[in-house]
Amino acid sequence: MTAKKKIMMQGNVRDAALSILLEVSRNQAYSNLLLTRTMKSYAIKEQDKPLLTNLTYGTLQYRLTLDYYLAPFIKGKLDDWVRELLRMSLYQIVYLTKIPPHAAVNEAVEIAKVRGHKGTTGLVNGVLRSVLRQGVRSLDEITDGITRLSLETSHPEWLIRRWVDQYGMDTTAEMARANNEPPLNTARVNIAQTTVEKAMHQLKSEGAKVELGKVVPEAIHCHSGNIAKTYTYTKGWLTVQDESSMLPVYALDVQPGMKVLDMCAAPGGKTTQIAEHLADTGEVHAHDLHEHKLELIEENAERLGLKSIWTSSGDSRELGYTYEPNTFDRILVDAPCSGLGVIRRKPEIKYNKTEADLESLTKIQSELLEVAWTLLKPGGKVVYSTCTVDKTENDGVVLQFLERHPEAEKLVPEFFKEAGLSTPNGMLQVLPQHFGSDGFFAATLQKPAISE
């Protein structure tokens, strides 16, 4: 069942989705980045783009569930492209009520004819038509609660067990189900250039359906269209950013004229938000390991009309060689992490990560926090944040830091208390089910002021 040399089926949504699924599977590529590229290369029509997005994300989100449903109908080994084609077709049959099941089967058979051979075509046709006749088996057959939740929500069993240990069964179930819901289309208003009211009025005049965010004052939700294609965005009034990822800057509590360090800055959403909260005064030093990513920060800063941002690349764990101790009023350590809070945007994350990955990240996270503490002025504040929900990477890293630095004071910003998002440990933890945003964590640590 070896595939033929690839022939791109221009304009074919399902073949385009299959190409994305294969690249994600083979190369651990990110589906959200591939979508835009594939829409162009396949010349997908505007009206077909939502279906392409749905097929891609839906098939990825429910991969384990689909494999459970397919297992009784498959004998022997399948080529990866055949398995992905069957998964995608079964996703349509089980989850997309607007697509007639026979249409999904016929489309799959046509793709198999182009990509494979007669035997492959017969196999795809036979498996899918058997599914239509017999239906899929019930998840109720599974008696173990963790295994059933793993298959129902398509999260690896080790991850469900880990979350149950950390959050309990009920919260884990809510979180796993929320991860399979579509992400909100959210933007941040550039308060250095305009007001929330003006930005919303401008968007509405362009035909967009918008409403205020749930927690952050300058967050808005857009329920139609592409924010990045609006005039409001082009003129520098908006940044596309998830609402929960705006919270760490509130924890940072920047004031005009301050000198601020963003240690892991790319793609720059928080960097530009810091500059906006500074009213574009003072200095924002944005560092990132990858030099090519700094261009995106610089482009966004220019579009937003911000002139207080300075960029440079390199390993931020070595910034002690670049700056003197006690240099910055505020430091943001938005640390590299497992990304388990953004599964609804990158569903492949839950299959690509391992427990060993999570443990290895804590070393890097702790090292970054140590460097930040050295560079922070007495009386200054450092915010440690991640886009994960894993407590080892979050509370664990901060509590270990506090053991090493008993002089550090852990602060709970009033903003977090008012939003009902502060944890018993005095930190911020947003879960995907809280207000439809990404999972996010933040903790504020203050360095003692020098007594006179």
Side-chain angles (χ1 to χ4, degrees):
M1 287 186 286
T2 304
K4 297 175 185 175
K5 186 176 180 181
K6 178 70 177 74
I7 301 172
M8 188 179 292
M9 299 172 71
Q10 282 285 308
N12 188 301
V13 176
R14 289 166 178 82
D15 192 61
L18 180 56
S19 292
I20 296 172
L21 294 169
L22 280 169
E23 194 160 346
V24 169
S25 174
R26 291 170 176 173
N27 304 319
Q28 294 195 356
Y30 285 131
S31 53
N32 60 330
L33 301 178
L34 288 172
L35 265 168
T36 303
R37 187 200 315 165
T38 305
M39 284 174 183
K40 292 180 181 177
S41 62
Y42 267 80
I44 299 298
K45 295 176 182 177
E46 198 65 34
Q47 65 265 30
D48 291 334
K49 289 179 180 179
L51 178 58
L52 175 58
T53 303
N54 191 336
L55 291 176
T56 301
Y57 281 134
T59 306
L60 284 169
Q61 284 166 339
Y62 289 102
R63 179 192 289 177
L64 298 182
T65 319
L66 295 167
D67 284 350
Y68 173 78
Y69 289 152
L70 280 170
F73 300 97
I74 295 174
K75 296 177 182 178
K77 189 177 179 182
L78 296 178
D79 282 356
D80 58 354
W81 72 271
V82 179
R83 183 171 293 279
E84 291 293 355
L85 178 58
L86 290 172
R87 284 171 176 163
M88 180 180 66
S89 304
L90 186 58
Y91 170 71
Q92 296 168 72
I93 293 169
V94 175
Y95 294 99
L96 299 187
T97 56
K98 291 184 179 180
I99 295 178
H102 286 85
V105 175
N106 292 337
E107 291 286 345
V109 169
E110 289 305 311
I111 292 172
K113 287 178 182 177
V114 174
R115 285 186 178 249
H117 303 282
K118 188 174 181 180
T120 318
T121 306
L123 183 146
V124 169
N125 185 51
V127 167
L128 294 177
R129 294 202 180 279
S130 294
V131 170
L132 294 187
R133 285 194 306 272
Q134 300 174 34
V136 295
R137 56 182 172 171
S138 173
L139 290 163
D140 294 336
E141 298 173 8
I142 304 167
T143 56
D144 182 83
I146 287 178
T147 303
R148 186 167 61 251
L149 182 61
S150 166
L151 286 170
E152 175 203 332
T153 64
S154 193
H155 286 67
E157 199 165 317
W158 72 263
L159 187 57
I160 294 294
R161 290 187 186 280
R162 187 178 179 96
W163 285 348
V164 169
D165 288 343
Q166 295 180 355
Y167 291 100
M169 189 66 175
D170 290 345
T171 299
T172 297
E174 289 178 16
M175 181 156 56
R177 290 174 182 134
N179 282 340
N180 290 333
E181 296 171 0
L184 294 170
N185 197 6
T186 313
R188 187 190 76 240
V189 175
N190 181 359
I191 56 175
Q193 299 288 349
T194 188
T195 64
V196 174
E197 292 75 17
K198 287 181 179 178
M200 289 187 70
H201 178 77
Q202 175 66 40
L203 280 169
K204 288 176 181 177
S205 73
E206 296 185 63
K209 295 179 182 178
V210 292
E211 65 176 351
L212 290 172
K214 304 289 179 64
V215 177
V216 178
E218 65 263 38
I220 57 173
H221 294 168
C222 186
H223 299 288
S224 64
N226 186 339
I227 291 175
K229 290 186 177 180
T230 62
Y231 173 70
T232 315
Y233 176 89
T234 304
K235 72 189 296 186
W237 281 12
L238 298 173
T239 295
V240 176
Q241 185 181 6
D242 189 77
E243 187 170 3
S244 64
S245 76
M246 304 176 199
L247 289 166
V249 174
Y250 275 87
L252 205 57
D253 183 33
V254 298
Q255 305 295 329
M258 283 184 169
K259 189 171 184 177
V260 183
L261 172 63
D262 187 353
M263 289 181 70
C264 309
K270 297 177 196 66
T271 308
T272 53
Q273 186 185 3
I274 291 168
E276 290 165 15
H277 277 230
L278 287 170
D280 206 26
T281 64
E283 300 176 11
V284 185
H285 292 255
H287 288 261
D288 198 82
L289 182 61
H290 306 287
E291 186 173 3
H292 69 278
K293 291 185 178 181
L294 297 178
E295 292 180 11
L296 184 59
I297 300 175
E298 292 162 0
E299 288 169 5
N300 275 322
E302 184 176 353
R303 181 180 61 81
L304 296 166
L306 301 170
K307 304 188 185 306
S308 56
I309 296 172
W310 306 81
T311 63
S312 61
S313 66
D315 189 335
S316 288
R317 290 174 293 180
E318 299 177 0
L319 285 177
Y321 299 107
T322 304
Y323 300 107
E324 293 293 325
N326 309 324
T327 293
F328 294 95
D329 299 290
R330 300 284 190 270
I331 299 178
L332 175 62
V333 184
D334 190 41
C337 69
S338 61
L340 294 175
V342 295
I343 287 175
R344 61 160 56 110
R345 296 181 189 278
K346 300 174 182 177
E348 59 276 2
I349 285 176
K350 58 187 175 181
Y351 312 119
N352 296 341
K353 298 295 180 184
T354 66
E355 285 196 270
D357 292 333
L358 274 58
E359 302 301 331
S360 65
L361 283 164
T362 59
K363 182 176 184 292
I364 298 170
Q365 292 157 350
S366 297
E367 290 171 352
L368 287 166
L369 195 48
E370 288 292 340
V371 172
W373 195 246
T374 301
L375 299 179
L376 188 67
K377 288 180 181 179
K381 297 176 183 177
V382 60
V383 168
Y384 170 79
S385 65
T386 73
C387 61
T388 187
V389 297
D390 189 78
K391 289 192 175 183
T392 302
E393 297 179 80
N394 294 342
D395 305 59
V397 169
V398 175
L399 292 174
Q400 287 177 11
F401 175 84
L402 290 169
E403 287 180 7
R404 297 192 301 271
H405 295 276
E407 77 279 10
E409 182 182 1
K410 178 161 53 70
L411 303 178
V412 185
E414 284 298 320
F415 188 86
F416 292 175
K417 293 179 183 176
E418 292 167 4
L421 297 171
S422 57
T423 69
N425 281 334
M427 307 177 205
L428 167 86
Q429 181 66 71
V430 179
L431 301 180
Q433 65 266 36
H434 282 163
F435 53 94
S437 193
D438 292 339
F440 227 92
F441 172 87
T444 305
L445 303 166
Q446 186 164 28
K447 203 172 194 178
I450 297 175
S451 57
E452 296 181 2

